[in-house]
Amino acid sequence: TLKLKDLLIPTDDIPEEARKAIKHWSQLIDYWAVDWDYKNDTFHNQWQTYRTKQDPRIDLETKYTYSEPGTYKVVVKVIDILGNDTTKTLEVVVKEK
């Protein structure tokens, strides 16, 4: 399970009218995606969630089940409402059942 818990961006960069409308940090996220098995090359978008005008809600949690034990690199990309890209790499160890 992967869960976003916070996102910080400089509030001075956010237009005032948008800043006034933000009630929760998740409203700063436009889109986020996960590569569950990053191989130190190209990011492969294997899961994503994004907001639209029709559905402004965005998921803050996702789940994935690995079929084989091993050590995996997980890369999370978050695109904020200003178009900035933030990337975080995590290591996941899946043990033998």
Side-chain angles (χ1 to χ4, degrees):
T1 300
L2 183 65
K3 183 176 182 176
L4 293 185
K5 293 186 177 183
D6 200 355
L7 177 70
L8 300 174
I9 63 174
T11 55
D12 293 346
D13 293 346
I14 303 170
E16 186 177 345
E17 63 277 2
R19 195 171 40 232
K20 288 179 182 178
I22 294 171
K23 305 293 184 223
H24 188 265
W25 63 266
S26 65
Q27 291 174 286
L28 298 170
I29 300 171
D30 188 42
Y31 164 96
W32 69 288
V34 181
D35 181 342
W36 297 102
D37 190 15
Y38 183 68
K39 302 282 192 201
N40 293 324
D41 55 10
T42 305
F43 177 86
H44 296 280
N45 187 340
Q46 297 172 317
W47 179 90
Q48 66 186 4
T49 184
Y50 54 90
R51 61 180 80 252
T52 64
K53 289 182 181 183
Q54 295 80 17
D55 186 7
R57 184 188 61 81
I58 196 162
D59 295 326
L60 296 177
E61 184 173 308
T62 183
K63 294 181 181 192
Y64 183 80
T65 302
Y66 291 92
S67 59
E68 298 290 328
T71 301
Y72 298 89
K73 282 187 183 177
V74 177
V75 174
V76 180
K77 282 188 177 255
V78 178
I79 311 302
D80 67 31
I81 59 173
L82 302 174
N84 299 314
D85 182 322
T86 301
T87 303
K88 176 80 174 182
T89 303
L90 308 164
E91 187 174 273
V92 174
V93 177
V94 178
K95 297 186 180 196
E96 194 80 41
K97 290 184 179 182

